[in-house]
């Protein structure tokens, strides 16, 4: 019995051992991944109209003279499967990778053959095949999976020393080249003669002055030509003087008139600028070495993936805000983006690494939805330091102010409202500054923070501006302004001309709450009583008026200020602060503006209508008409959601497109076709 139990135990251990040997693990996303995205193919594929989309792609490909393909909806890629994308960054290597599923390997290989370089051979490995589509683009595939990798490599740059990190081979080549040049041009070194040097420098100054004079003369001549062409659409006709009669034609010189050379090449029989063959060889060598490096990196990545069970393992923290019903999910690690690679080296060179590193120590997750009548995006922002995240959340828990919401009306172009806690804002900044200190200076930094708290009276500052504010863009008005232009007669004599034009000026209101009206009234009184300020500021009842007579033809020549019922107003019109009749839609916006810490809307169509006069040419006006037909309205709201700051943004579409995804296709398709029409007209 004992022997049977022992044998059973041995067999079990061996079976488990073989299972462990032959088991394939998930392919893990690299630790230095800064970006991750999932494309919900099942949902997106059902929203794409391939009957419209496929001919459009073929048309662009043919127009750009790129590789053609019969049907982009049948490339062998399984479009209704989930696609995975991720990017990595470090000091020298940046990569972007896409994993997707195949439903027809033969069709996919046919597609790859149509886009790869002519004559480029496919490399066949044990478990997959791959080919380089370009010097930094590689694609690998097996029976049912494919991976696309874009990899770039650059030698690390040391900002602290200001030089590239080079290897000994480069140094040896440079030293040898320098020695050869020095030996070929070696000559007797003469003692330095300062008098000779002074004369040389004087000549150089004279040469530069003459250059400036010649350049200014040439600039003036060209400017006159431009003005003449704008007015007459041609150059002035040259006056040809009649040639004097030649008395003795026997001795008349026979001169063959040759046309002026077309370019510098006409002066030389041989090529004037022969390429530097040594330099070209060095560059080719460097490019080959760089290609070998990125190819090896791509191949190693392919080996790891196709040796796994072909499942991609993603860290749980990346997926904590993913919604399985979204069309696309995106995760961005800002801490890694700004603390790795060139960004880190950039601000490290300016001693900003600690402060900026702590500020960007965060991540964001985005869920994107292409609904029937709108595009919707939900963003979750989260700081990785719990204490800092808590401070940020407290800032977004401010008091509400309904007085500001009364400025909202549905006739406006847009608005932006904030209801944050100004007092807690100081705590957030103190927290970030305190956490940004280097370990050896931590005590000193804590002392500085404490001193700032003593010196600044946060409560008094918060009463001046508690954190409630609103900006309303009511409309864009046309204003006729005068400007100076220059005209030229047939003899290029310059003449100053006064002209007028219409410009669009904003009609807006900016207002914010205050618990200390007296402070702002004292500021207004000071502006009126000050000798210099009073030239532009004047009192008009309850309003303070700013008027700049010297800039009356500018965009903003008059602004009104006032304080009323705990609100400071800055506006372009006194009527803007009056309570206006509001529709049911604007009443809902009012409720949201008082409910959320941040909210706003922008009617893009009204904005474009207001900018109509800024579009001059025929093609610009045609594009504007298309945009006015398609563009809709944007709306967003931000609030604290658990341990994150959540922002929802909606873009409402106006047209009868099948859905908001095809809406963007219809818009781009119409603009593209219009541009082709304009090009054809210009050619004719």
């Amino acid at each position: 019995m004992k022997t049977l139990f022992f044998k059973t135990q041995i067999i079990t251990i061996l079976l488990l051992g073989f299972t462990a040997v032959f088991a394939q693990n998930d392919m893990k996303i690299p630790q230095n991944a800064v970006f991750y995205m999932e494309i919900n193919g099942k949902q997106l594929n059902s929203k794409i109209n391939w009957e419209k989309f496929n001919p459009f792609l073929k048309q662009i490909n043919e127009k750009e003279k790129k590789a053609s393909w019969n049907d982009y909806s049948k490339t062998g890629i399984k479009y209704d499967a989930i696609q995975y994308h991720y990017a990595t960054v470090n000091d020298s290597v940046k990569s972007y990778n896409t994993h997707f599923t195949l439903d027809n390997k033969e069709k996919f290989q046919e597609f790859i053959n149509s886009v790869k370089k002519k004559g480029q051979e496919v490399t066949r490995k044990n478990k997959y095949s791959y080919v380089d589509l370009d010097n930094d683009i590689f694609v690998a595939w097996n029976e049912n999976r494919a991976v696309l990798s874009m990899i770039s490599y650059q030698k690390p740059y040391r900002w602290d020393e200001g030089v590239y990190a080079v290897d000994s081979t480069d140094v040896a080549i440079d030293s040898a080249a320098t020695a050869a040049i020095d030996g070929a041009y070696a000559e007797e070194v003469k003692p330095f003669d300062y008098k000779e040097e002074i004369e040389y420098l004087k000549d150089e100054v004279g040469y530069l002055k003459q250059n400036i004079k010649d350049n200014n003369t040439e600039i003036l001549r060209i400017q006159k030509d431009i003005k003449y062409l704008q007015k007459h659409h041609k150059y002035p006709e040259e006056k040809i003087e009649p040639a004097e009669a030649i008395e003795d034609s026997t001795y008349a010189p026979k001169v063959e008139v040759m046309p002026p050379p077309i370019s510098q090449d006409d002066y030389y029989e041989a090529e004037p600028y022969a390429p530097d063959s040594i330099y070209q060889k060095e560059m080719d060598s460097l490019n080959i070495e760089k290609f070998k490096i990125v190819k090896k990196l791509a191949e190693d990545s392919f080996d790891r993936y196709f040796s796994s069970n072909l499942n991609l393992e993603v860290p749980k923290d990346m997926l904590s805000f993913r919604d399985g019903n979204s069309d696309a999910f995106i995760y961005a690690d800002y801490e890694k983006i700004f603390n790795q690679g060139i960004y880190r080296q950039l601000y490290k060179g300016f001693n900003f690494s600690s402060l900026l590193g702590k500020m960007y120590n965060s991540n964001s997750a985005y869920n994107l939805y292409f609904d029937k009548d709108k595009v919707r995006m939900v963003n979750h922002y989260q700081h990785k330091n719990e204490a800092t995240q808590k401070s940020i959340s407290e800032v977004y828990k401010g008091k509400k102010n309904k007085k500001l919401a009364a400025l909202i009306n549905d006739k406006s172009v847009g608005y932006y409202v904030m209801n944050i806690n100004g007092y807690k804002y100081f705590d957030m900044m103190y927290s970030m500054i305190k956490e940004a200190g280097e370990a050896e200076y931590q005590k000193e930094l804590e002392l500085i923070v404490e001193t700032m708290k003593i010196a600044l009276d946060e409560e008094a500052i918060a009463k001046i501006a508690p954190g409630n504010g609103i900006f309303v863009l009511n409309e864009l008005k046309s204003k006729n302004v005068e400007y100076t232009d220059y005209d030229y007669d047939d003899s290029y004599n310059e003449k100053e001309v006064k002209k007028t034009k219409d410009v669009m000026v904003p009609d807006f209101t900016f207002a914010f709450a205050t618990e200390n009206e007296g402070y702002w009234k004292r500021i207004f009184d000071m502006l009126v009583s000050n000798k210099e300020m009073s030239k532009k500021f004047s009192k008009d009842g309850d309003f303070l008026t700013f008027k700049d007579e010297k800039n009356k033809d500018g965009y903003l020549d008059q602004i009104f200020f006032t304080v009323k019922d705990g609100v400071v107003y800055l506006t372009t019109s006194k009527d803007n602060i009056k309570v206006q009749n509001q529709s049911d839609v604007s009443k809902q916006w009012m409720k949201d503006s008082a409910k959320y810490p941040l909210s706003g809307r922008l009617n893009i169509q009204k904005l474009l209508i207001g900018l109509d006069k800024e579009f001059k040419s025929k093609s610009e006006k045609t594009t504007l008409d298309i945009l006015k037909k398609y563009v809709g309205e944007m709306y967003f709201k931000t609030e604290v959601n658990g341990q994150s700051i959540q922002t929802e943004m909606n873009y409402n579409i106006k047209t009868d497109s099948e859905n908001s995804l095809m809406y963007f296709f219809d818009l781009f398709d119409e603009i593209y076709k219009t541009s082709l029409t304009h090009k054809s007209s210009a050619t004719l």
Side-chain angles (χ1 to χ4, degrees), residues 351 354 433-449:
N351 298 319
S354 296
I433 294 173
K434 185 177 179 180
E435 291 293 328
E438 301 289 351
E440 57 180 320
Y441 300 115
Q442 189 62 38
K443 291 183 179 180
E444 290 83 352
L445 192 61
E446 289 180 1
L447 181 60
I448 293 173
V449 171

Side-chain angles (χ1 to χ4, degrees), residues 84-117:
Y84 303 93
H85 302 244
Y86 63 89
T88 63
V89 175
N90 61 33
D91 287 350
S92 55
V93 179
K94 299 176 184 63
S95 72
Y96 188 93
N97 307 273
T98 302
H99 292 240
F100 43 92
T101 306
L102 303 181
D103 59 7
N104 190 319
K105 176 187 175 183
E106 288 71 26
K107 202 70 176 175
F108 179 74
Q109 288 183 180
E110 186 180 343
F111 171 66
I112 292 299
N113 288 332
S114 73
V115 296
K116 71 179 180 64
K117 294 178 180 178

